[in-house]
């Protein structure tokens, strides 16, 4: 429902799921993700902070909270959660600290530009890499590169494309005819 922009229905459905299982970390995190995609960023932040108070090692919640905070210009708080996320997924603390510092000082766009300027060492053909590159290029306003990488993600059948119409990183692409064709190809 959320992927199709039916946010009110998605929020109602996830609220029902939360009523059925209040202890589920996954349901709580998904409720925050749906709120974020629906533009209810403050609600997402509140839910993630509550979840992390009881589950401080939940890496996906730190990642989403970092993105939500950065979208609000709260770069230092976003950086703190980014660093925790990176360490929890096994990134060396020294590298995580550098990424966090860049985010705190330059914001999400600055961090993204910094990453795009550095070789990643990952093959662009590796599954998932095109989508990540597409979201990075979209975030910094490089429409043609973002669309090129989205098309490669489509060719890989990356499931994250289901949310391309509601993911705020792709808002600047939605009027482009190539983007609209891609959305049709995905079946949205």
């Amino acid at each position: 429902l959320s992927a199709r922009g039916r946010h009110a229905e998605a929020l109602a459905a996830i609220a029902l799921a939360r009523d059925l299982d209040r202890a589920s970390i996954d349901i709580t995190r998904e409720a925050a993700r749906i709120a974020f995609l629906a533009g209810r960023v403050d609600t997402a932040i509140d839910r993630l902070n509550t979840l992390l108070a009881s589950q401080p090692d939940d890496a996906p919640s730190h990642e989403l909270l970092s993105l939500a905070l950065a979208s609000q210009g709260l770069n230092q708080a976003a950086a703190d959660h980014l660093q925790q996320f990176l360490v929890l997924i096994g990134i060396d603390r020294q590298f995580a600290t550098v990424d966090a510092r860049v985010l705190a000082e330059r914001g999400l766009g600055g961090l993204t530009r910094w990453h795009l300027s550095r070789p990643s060492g990952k093959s662009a053909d590796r599954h998932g890499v095109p989508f990540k590159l597409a979201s990075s290029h979209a975030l910094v306003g490089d429409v043609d590169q973002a669309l090129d990488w989205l098309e490669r993600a489509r060719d890989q059948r990356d499931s994250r494309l289901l949310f391309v119409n509601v993911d705020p990183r792709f808002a600047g692409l939605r009027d482009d005819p190539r983007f609209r064709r891609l959305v049709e190809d995905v079946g949205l």
Side-chain angles (χ1 to χ4, degrees):
L1 294 170
S2 183
R4 295 206 174 266
R6 296 166 53 187
H7 298 300
E9 293 170 85
L11 289 165
I14 201 69
L16 177 60
R18 286 186 72 220
D19 287 345
L20 294 172
D21 188 358
R22 289 250 173 230
S24 172
I25 297 167
D26 293 330
I27 292 172
T28 302
R29 187 184 328 103
E30 195 57 27
R33 184 180 317 283
I34 291 168
F36 178 72
L37 293 172
R40 299 179 182 180
V41 181
D42 290 338
T43 299
I45 291 170
D46 289 344
R47 286 194 175 148
L48 291 164
N49 278 324
T50 299
L51 180 119
L52 287 167
S54 65
Q55 301 293 326
D57 292 338
D58 185 52
S61 292
H62 282 290
E63 181 183 31
L64 181 56
L65 184 53
S66 178
L67 181 61
L69 290 164
S71 77
Q72 299 295 299
L74 301 169
N75 295 334
Q76 184 58 60
D80 294 342
H81 288 282
L82 174 65
Q83 183 172 9
Q84 290 177 66
F85 163 69
L86 293 172
V87 169
L88 286 167
I89 64 167
I91 302 296
D92 184 274
R93 184 171 294 282
Q94 179 181 354
F95 294 116
T97 300
V98 171
D99 274 14
R101 187 178 69 243
V102 173
L103 175 57
E105 293 172 358
R106 301 182 195 174
L108 189 55
L111 176 63
T112 303
R113 282 183 195 85
W114 184 71
H115 275 283
L116 287 171
S117 72
R118 302 167 50 89
S120 72
K122 293 180 184 174
S123 167
D125 293 326
R126 187 171 146 199
H127 187 77
V129 173
F131 184 85
K132 182 174 178 174
L133 288 169
S135 62
S136 294
H137 283 285
L139 191 63
V140 299
D142 189 350
V143 174
D144 288 332
Q145 283 289 320
L147 290 167
D148 288 346
W149 288 110
L150 278 175
E151 289 167 351
R152 289 176 78 172
R154 177 204 55 213
D155 295 344
Q156 287 186 343
R157 299 181 172 273
D158 193 314
S159 63
R160 292 173 290 182
L161 287 172
L162 294 174
F163 290 89
V164 75
N165 255 343
V166 293
D167 188 323
R169 295 174 293 186
F170 298 106
L173 280 64
R174 294 199 178 108
D175 291 332
D176 191 287
R178 281 176 67 194
F179 183 83
R180 290 194 301 267
R181 275 193 303 277
L182 179 118
V183 167
E184 287 177 22
D185 290 348
V186 172
L188 297 175

